[in-house]
Amino acid sequence: MKKVVMLSAVALMAALAASAQTDVAFSNNTPANALAANSNNSYRHEKRLEREERRELRGPKINYLSKEAFNIDFDNVTNVAWSKYNSMDEVSFEQNGVAKEAYYDSDGQLIGTTQVKSFADIPEKAQRWILKKYPDYSIGTVIFFDDNEYNDTDMLLYGVLFEDEDNYFIEMSKGNETMILRVNETGDVNFFE
């Protein structure tokens, strides 16, 4: 009888040991381990983003394609200076004695150019409307944005993203109050900022 009990005990121990090994084998596929694996992937992703941010802080890198496109787009230029403007490459330069800025997207394609103009350069319809509507305001800088019609990338000026279109931007001020008006080429005036 002792032998039967001993054999039963050994069989039970063997069954428990086999069951424990199976549980260990399956435990690697539990939701907790899957969560840990996802956590590792998330950690790696966060570290990669941190490395990219550090690279950006080291200094602006101007896209080689932007420089190549600029050399094709503009000739007879002087005083060329490159910088980053948000996600765009910005190049300041003089062409035929006129100071301009050109903006290129991440693919090195021209978005458009800006240059300082005078209030007299905007359409007469807009001049009359602005002088009538805002007689107490001082007229500041007038910037003309010349859109590259072959590129659909929207432009960012004064911290505001707008759909591409040739526009004048007029800085207006009255005491501590400032605003930007946008004027299209037909003379329609809109509040911009």
Side-chain angles (χ1 to χ4, degrees), residues 111-144:
I111 298 170
T113 61
T114 59
Q115 72 182 78
V116 175
K117 294 285 193 171
S118 71
F119 187 71
D121 291 325
I122 70 173
E124 286 184 38
K125 171 184 166 185
Q127 290 179 40
R128 287 190 306 272
W129 190 88
I130 291 170
L131 292 173
K132 180 180 176 183
K133 180 79 172 167
Y134 301 103
D136 298 337
Y137 281 75
S138 299
I139 297 168
T141 305
V142 176
I143 295 175
F144 177 67

Side-chain angles (χ1 to χ4, degrees), residues 40-88:
N40 285 339
N41 288 339
S42 176
Y43 175 78
R44 284 188 209 124
H45 179 71
E46 288 177 20
K47 284 298 189 187
R48 184 176 55 81
L49 290 176
E50 286 176 14
R51 282 192 306 271
E52 289 174 4
E53 288 175 5
R54 282 193 302 263
R55 265 187 235 127
E56 288 178 12
L57 291 175
R58 286 185 206 137
K61 301 247 185 206
I62 305 301
N63 188 342
Y64 173 78
L65 295 173
S66 297
K67 289 183 176 184
E68 289 297 312
F70 174 75
N71 292 330
I72 294 168
D73 294 339
F74 300 95
D75 56 355
N76 300 321
V77 296
T78 57
N79 300 326
V80 176
W82 286 91
S83 62
K84 278 300 226 193
Y85 179 69
N86 289 316
S87 62
M88 298 177 280

Side-chain angles (χ1 to χ4, degrees), residues 14-28:
L16 289 174
S19 173
Q21 287 178 355
T22 304
D23 288 343
V24 169
F26 285 121
S27 69
N28 290 333

Side-chain angles (χ1 to χ4, degrees), residues 152-167:
D152 290 335
T153 304
D154 290 339
M155 182 61 184
L156 181 73
L157 276 180
Y158 299 103
V160 178
L161 196 64
F162 65 96
E163 291 182 18
D164 294 346
E165 176 177 298
D166 295 352
N167 283 288

Side-chain angles (χ1 to χ4, degrees), residues 26-37:
F26 285 121
S27 69
N28 290 333
N29 295 326
T30 63
N33 286 336
L35 183 60

